[in-house]
Amino acid sequence: MADCLVTFQPDDKNVNVEIGETILNAAVKADVFINSVCGGLGKCGKCKVQVKGDVSSRDSELLSKEDKENNLVLACESAVMGDIEVFIPEISRAAKHQILVKSKEIDLKMLTPLTRKYRLALPVPSLEDNLSDLERIKKSLADEKIENPKISLTLLRNCAKILRDNLWDVSATVAEEDGRNEIIYIGPKDAVKKHFGLAIDIGTTTVVVSLIDLNSGEIITSQSNYNKQIVCGEDVLARINYAEEEEGGLARLNKLIVETINFLIEKLTLDDEVCRRGIEYGTCKDEITGIVTAGNTTMSHLFLSLDPEHIRLEPYIPTASLIPTIKARDLNLEINPEAVVYCMPCRASYVGGDITADILASGMSKKEELSLLIDVGTNGEAVIGNKDWLASCSCSAGPAFEGGEVQHGMRASFGAIEKVALTVIPELSGEGKDIKVFYKTIGDIKPKGICGSGLIDLLAELFTHGIIDKGGNINDIASPRIRHGDEGKEFVVAWAEETSLGRDMIAVRRDDGEIEMKEAAGKDIIITEADIKNIIRTKGAVYASCSVLLKSMNYKFDDLKKIYIAGGFGNYIDLKKAILLGLFPDVPLDKYEFIGNGSLGGARLALLSRDAREEAQRIYKMMTYIELSVNNMFYNEFTSALFLPHTDMKLFPSVAEVLGEAQE
Ligand code: FES
């Protein structure tokens, strides 16, 4: 079939695709990300792009008359019919993400990585010493306490040549696979110094890969990018639907996650630090012999191409929780094909390997003291326990803190308002109160939306300044910033002239019929009452799930000695404000600890330490799971938490003090 050239602007990226391919698919191939909340089903209208050239588009009520006049189409509903140029407006662009690579520092006194490398100076065979090549290798490994390892036929076929080419002085890599050792690589003796592994956080939105020196435990470098599956839907349920409803859906989702990881492995080698150390790309790929992945249960299934259907259907049973070690070649990963891949165990359909990794990174399963771990994403997960027991639960928190269900919400990307402070000046010449909004954006550029940490700041400021009430209603205050919009009352956070929202170059037809490019006017960034209610629902679900977990185990928040906050969102938030809104419990701040990207940190630990891998299995076995979707207590707790900070102010004494409210 004929190829068409698609050029994406403003990045100026080109890609050749077959005629009939959708623009959204072409964007994935070009490594350009277009927002696609509904996963390309033509339902969200977030993928609007402007096209020049021949496309065949389905008409959609999500396109306004003005959109159509300006050649805007839905990228997921438009087929490429010839060479075209596609301009992605700011609002449809999935901007560069603020991705959390950092995790809690870990203590690695005794390195026992997933794969180990040994120098084998083998005796040269003779008529008197006529052991076979394989027995010779095994005998030498036995001196290192590696007894009777397996070896693949592929490697065995190459063995004779490698040993003789290297004059019997070689290195051997041995993998620990579910309690059994296997020789997975034989190379020159110098290769003993080049011994690498990957820790991978497979997030629903982003994927982070760290290249780790398995001889020292050091992180050499990390790379991250959007999970390419994002074009098939933004959250796990959308991905499961895609796998079930689209022909070849599961195969495509699997291909996209593998492509994302291979792309990041490729990028790792271009990293300055890798180049500075002179680690050769080809060598590096061959010398990567161990991988640990941590992902939620759905992501783990899609990575392994396991059918995720039953994850979403009662009684919510995954295909596998304790996943056997797998070979890189079986997953099409572009590293040493014999490399072993260990997936962190998933406890339940909605408490996955990422949470096992969080627990590992926090160390809570090894401590005497009672701790709570909270991971806030689209799903909120909470775990309580200590070294003897763990209990977990998960709630569908909703995407409000990740930019969904909030009109001008966005992910933590460049241009997102991440911090907000308000000053209210009582009166001005008959125009009402002068409310000044101070904000900071990621990248210090003009704002185009508000991310999770910004929303928490904003709501806390609106609440403490009396602009919204405990139910999240905007009070009747005379001020230019408070007005009635299409969806009821709204508050203007940033005026159009300050923002980059909607400020795109668009094609406009002049009176003489010619098309000219003009900058569209900016738009006010607002928060509506409906947005505020969505945020309150999200924070209420997170708090209620923690509360149910504690009550189910007969504990109170005051009994907790430590609260670990995991996840990219958690690391950037103002704790005091999160407590003020009732997202997190009102306990002394020194009990809180941010563990950063616990999923990545836990994966690294498991890659480097046998103890950690055993601990991950122990966590899986001892952790119970409380299903909240059928839990009446959860409904009651959730309803009580739908206020700022909560209906029961006795639970939030420090907030009552800030608000000047007397406690009974
Ligand atoms: Fe949702 Fe196109 S309409 S991705």
Side-chain angles (χ1 to χ4, degrees), residues 24 35-47 62 74 76:
L24 192 61
N35 285 327
S36 50
V37 176
C38 70
L41 299 176
K43 291 183 181 162
C44 67
K46 298 273 184 189
C47 64
L62 296 167
L74 296 180
C76 66

Side-chain angles (χ1 to χ4, degrees), residues 459-460 463 468-473 532 536 539 580-582 641-647 649 655 659 661:
L459 249 66
F463 183 47
I468 58 173
D469 66 17
K470 286 183 175 177
N473 305 300
I532 295 169
I536 291 178
K539 76 95 195 170
L580 199 132
L581 296 181
L642 291 179
F643 285 87
L644 298 175
H646 197 274
T647 44
M649 284 304 285
V655 181
L659 300 177
E661 288 185 11

Side-chain angles (χ1 to χ4, degrees), residues 323-471:
I323 295 148
T325 317
I326 297 154
K327 286 289 172 68
R329 69 170 124 76
D330 295 329
L331 295 166
N332 297 319
L333 295 174
E334 290 167 3
I335 54 168
N336 188 316
E338 297 292 321
V340 287
V341 182
Y342 173 92
C343 302
M344 294 296 276
C346 302
R347 176 57 192 84
S349 278
Y350 295 102
V351 172
D354 49 347
I355 303 304
T356 309
D358 278 345
I359 296 169
L360 210 52
S362 73
M364 68 185 281
S365 64
K366 289 204 157 184
K367 291 180 184 158
E368 200 84 49
E369 64 189 28
L370 184 71
S371 312
L372 173 70
L373 183 142
I374 308 173
D375 190 322
V376 183
T378 308
N379 268 339
E381 288 102 354
V383 182
I384 180 182
N386 60 20
K387 67 180 181 45
D388 299 318
W389 62 274
L390 292 167
S392 62
C393 69
S394 166
C395 67
S396 173
F401 290 131
E402 296 192 330
E405 294 179 354
V406 173
Q407 199 173 123
H408 290 152
M410 62 183 284
R411 294 203 186 101
S413 331
F414 284 101
I417 293 177
E418 59 170 349
K419 286 192 182 310
V420 183
L422 301 187
T423 307
V424 180
I425 299 166
E427 179 45 34
L428 40 121
S429 52
E431 288 175 14
K433 287 187 178 173
D434 181 12
I435 304 171
K436 295 211 182 301
V437 181
F438 304 93
Y439 53 78
K440 184 191 172 306
T441 61
I442 297 174
D444 292 317
I445 57 177
K446 281 187 169 187
K448 61 174 181 172
I450 317 168
C451 66
S453 61
L455 289 170
I456 287 179
D457 271 17
L458 176 61
L459 249 66
E461 290 285 304
L462 290 172
F463 183 47
T464 48
H465 284 91
I467 296 165
I468 58 173
D469 66 17
K470 286 183 175 177

Side-chain angles (χ1 to χ4, degrees), residues 180-233:
R180 177 112 199 250
N181 287 312
E182 178 175 354
I183 304 165
I184 56 167
Y185 182 59
I186 298 175
K189 64 175 190 236
D190 294 346
V192 87
K193 290 183 225 130
K194 299 173 202 151
H195 186 26
F196 306 117
L198 302 174
I200 307 181
D201 164 28
I202 306 181
T204 311
T205 307
T206 53
V207 178
V208 190
V209 180
S210 290
L211 177 67
I212 291 167
D213 184 335
L214 297 183
N215 284 329
S216 66
E218 181 198 4
I219 301 173
I220 300 167
T221 184
S222 300
Q223 288 287 344
S224 55
N225 207 348
Y226 280 103
N227 182 337
K228 288 191 178 198
Q229 291 177 342
I230 215 159
V231 290
C232 304

Side-chain angles (χ1 to χ4, degrees), residues 439 446-447 494-501 503 521-525:
Y439 53 78
K446 281 187 169 187
W495 298 106
E497 55 271 24
E498 305 161 30
T499 77
S500 69
L501 185 68
R503 205 176 282 278
K523 288 184 182 160
D524 295 340
I525 291 176

